[in-house]
């Protein structure tokens, strides 16, 4: 094996870490467990994670995905996706007399708590992230009067704050590490007293996957990122690969989306996957490549990951019974205020 550059062989560089992060793993298992424990249907507000295959697989098992809480009939169970939701969504669920399971990634919840804390201290909060992304909508909803979105370095010019000595930045967890720091630097130039969150908001998994792609992209003519179009962290991996030196980088959901023309004149293909992608999809890509002469696979390892999160605590209760009781209340006089964290 090894790096025999003299060999005419084609090779694949496989990034590690890749694929599922702890928050995605937890959210997907939470849906499966809820279906097992409570039976179908279990409603999920928004795609549980941004991956087409995962959503289709869970739909076959009896999950029903909805975009709005109001779409769930009273007396049912609704689960909130890994991306998190604004407080108003918890209120909608209560009004709709629904039992809820919150599968928000704990690292997203951490950013929500930072937003609440800084808003409570009357800071202007500059949230770095992509407009319209579910995570950004959820975090902004914690303190809409205090938060303004900064979508990349180009957005900095139009940012205005009430008091330049009381400004903090937070970020979406799945951004490009380098671009985010560029945005932060531009914000610091404009607001020298800008303070940073207690710990970087971009999550460990996003950072590690980008690190692996940087190493791999520098040596690959072509990089294939397995992931869905609406997955922020997957799209960032494509950008990072190109910046790192890959001639071409493409995002595919499945192996059959790969175009053979991409392999023209290519001897090294880099392969990775976004944080919501099951490994079976990567295996299919490796199989596709090996059938075309790319059999030699080398792992490019950038970090060790051992982090896991415990399942949402609501799975320990009989939610079907709770849902039925909520529906029976009709007047919606339940006091759900203290049930959440």
């Amino acid at each position: 094996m090894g790096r025999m550059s003299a060999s005419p062989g084609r090779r694949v560089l496989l990034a590690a870490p890749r694929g599922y992060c702890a928050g995605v793993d937890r959210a997907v298992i939470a849906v499966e467990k809820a279906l097992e424990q409570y039976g179908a249907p279990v409603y999920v507000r928004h795609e549980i994670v941004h991956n087409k295959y995962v959503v289709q697989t869970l739909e076959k098992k009896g999950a029903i995905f909805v975009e709005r809480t109001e779409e769930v009939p009273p007396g049912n169970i609704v689960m909130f996706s890994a991306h998190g939701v604004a407080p108003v969504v918890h209120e909608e669920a209560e009004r709709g007399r629904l039992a809820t399971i919150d599968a928000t990634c704990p690292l997203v919840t951490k950013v929500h708590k930072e937003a609440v804390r800084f808003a409570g201290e009357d800071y202007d909060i500059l949230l770095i992230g992509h407009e319209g992304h579910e995570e950004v909508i959820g975090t902004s909803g914690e303190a809409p009067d205090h938060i303004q979105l900064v979508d990349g370095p180009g957005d900095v010019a139009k940012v205005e704050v009430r008091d330049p000595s009381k400004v903090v930045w937070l970020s979406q967890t799945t951004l490009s590490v380098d671009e985010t720091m560029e945005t932060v630097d531009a914000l610091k130039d404009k607001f020298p007293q800008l303070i940073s969150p207690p710990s970087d908001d971009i999550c460990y998994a996003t950072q590690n996957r980008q690190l692996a792609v940087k190493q791999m992209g520098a040596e690959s003519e072509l990089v294939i990122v397995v992931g869905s179009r609406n997955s922020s962290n997957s799209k960032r991996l494509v950008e990072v690969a190109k910046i790192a030196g890959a001639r071409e980088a493409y995002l595919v959901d499945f192996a059959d989306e790969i175009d053979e023309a991409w392999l023209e004149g290519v001897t090294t293909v880099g392969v990775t996957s976004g944080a919501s992608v099951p490994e079976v999809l990567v295996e299919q890509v490796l199989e596709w490549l090996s059938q075309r002469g790319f059999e030699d696979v080398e792992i490019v390892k950038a970090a060790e990951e051992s982090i896991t999160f415990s399942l949402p605590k609501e799975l320990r209760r009989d939610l079907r019974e709770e849902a039925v009781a909520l529906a029976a209340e009709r007047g919606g006089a339940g006091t759900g205020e203290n049930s959440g964290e």
Side-chain angles (χ1 to χ4, degrees):
M1 288 291 287
R3 308 212 159 177
M4 297 283 291
S5 46
S7 98
R10 299 163 173 178
R11 62 175 186 161
V12 175
L13 298 181
L14 182 60
R18 64 181 175 278
Y20 272 17
C21 59
V24 162
D25 196 39
R26 169 183 188 262
V28 174
I29 291 172
V31 180
E32 291 171 338
K33 274 229 175 314
L35 286 164
E36 241 168 72
Q37 281 173 220
Y38 312 125
V42 168
Y43 289 83
V44 182
R45 189 188 177 282
H46 190 68
E47 292 189 354
I48 186 71
V49 297
H50 286 153
N51 184 267
K52 209 189 268 189
Y53 173 86
V54 171
V55 168
Q56 288 166 354
T57 307
L58 292 170
E59 276 176 335
K60 287 191 193 106
K61 294 182 180 179
I64 298 175
F65 293 89
V66 297
E67 280 308 313
R68 293 169 33 250
T69 321
E70 297 80 35
E71 295 171 59
V72 185
N76 274 283
I77 295 171
V78 67
M79 184 176 294
F80 301 135
S81 79
H83 313 100
V85 295
V88 54
V89 176
H90 288 276
E91 290 158 23
E92 289 166 3
E94 211 174 296
R95 273 202 304 279
R97 300 191 293 287
L98 306 172
T100 59
I101 303 172
D102 190 351
T104 303
C105 170
L107 299 178
V108 172
T109 301
K110 173 180 87 75
V111 183
H112 279 230
K113 287 183 169 159
E114 287 169 355
V116 171
R117 180 165 77 84
F118 284 112
E121 295 170 18
D122 204 28
Y123 275 78
D124 273 327
I125 300 166
L126 309 179
L127 177 62
I128 302 171
H130 296 299
E131 188 150 14
H133 189 278
E134 285 68 34
E135 189 189 323
V136 160
I137 294 167
T139 302
S140 300
E142 291 288 356
D145 304 342
H146 287 80
I147 294 179
Q148 53 186 310
L149 187 64
V150 184
D151 196 340
D155 245 7
V156 172
K158 66 171 209 280
V159 176
E160 287 178 19
V161 300
R162 292 165 304 155
D163 176 355
S165 71
K166 289 202 80 170
V167 192
V168 62
W169 69 271
L170 300 175
S171 88
Q172 188 181 325
T173 59
T174 51
L175 301 178
S176 150
V177 176
D178 293 338
E179 192 191 0
T180 301
M181 288 332 289
E182 212 182 297
T183 306
V184 171
D185 289 342
L187 285 170
K188 281 188 172 152
D189 285 344
K190 189 167 180 177
F191 308 110
Q193 291 166 280
L194 178 75
I195 68 167
S196 301
S199 64
D200 194 347
D201 290 337
I202 294 183
C203 80
Y204 78 93
T206 300
Q207 300 192 40
N208 289 345
R209 279 152 195 66
Q210 288 177 18
L211 200 57
V213 166
K214 271 187 182 172
Q215 294 176 14
M216 187 183 80
E219 296 187 49
S220 312
E221 293 107 327
L222 167 69
V223 169
I224 293 169
V225 177
V226 185
S228 291
R229 299 272 173 278
N230 61 340
S231 161
S232 175
N233 81 86
S234 302
K235 288 199 293 204
R236 303 293 83 76
L237 292 174
V238 173
E239 294 167 9
V240 170
K242 287 182 178 166
I243 293 166
R247 197 168 66 206
E248 281 302 341
Y250 297 99
L251 185 61
V252 300
D253 258 298
F254 304 102
D256 62 15
E257 293 176 13
I258 302 171
D259 184 340
E260 298 219 22
W262 298 347
L263 297 175
E264 288 285 305
V266 168
T267 54
T268 301
V269 179
V271 175
T272 190
S273 56
S276 44
V277 177
E279 187 62 9
V280 59
L281 301 181
V282 175
E283 284 160 12
Q284 288 165 4
V285 167
L286 295 176
E287 178 56 31
W288 188 97
L289 287 166
S290 86
Q291 286 165 7
R292 287 155 184 82
F294 288 83
E295 290 171 14
D296 185 10
V297 178
E298 288 178 38
I299 307 285
V300 176
K301 192 161 194 137
E304 286 288 347
E305 285 182 356
S306 57
I307 202 163
T308 57
F309 296 129
S310 58
L311 287 170
K313 60 186 182 321
E314 298 94 335
L315 288 167
R316 298 196 283 269
R317 308 204 302 259
D318 184 352
L319 288 188
R320 277 284 166 227
E321 206 172 284
E322 285 182 35
V324 169
L326 285 166
E329 278 174 20
R330 274 216 304 281
T335 54
E337 272 86 87
N338 304 320
S339 59
E341 290 274 270

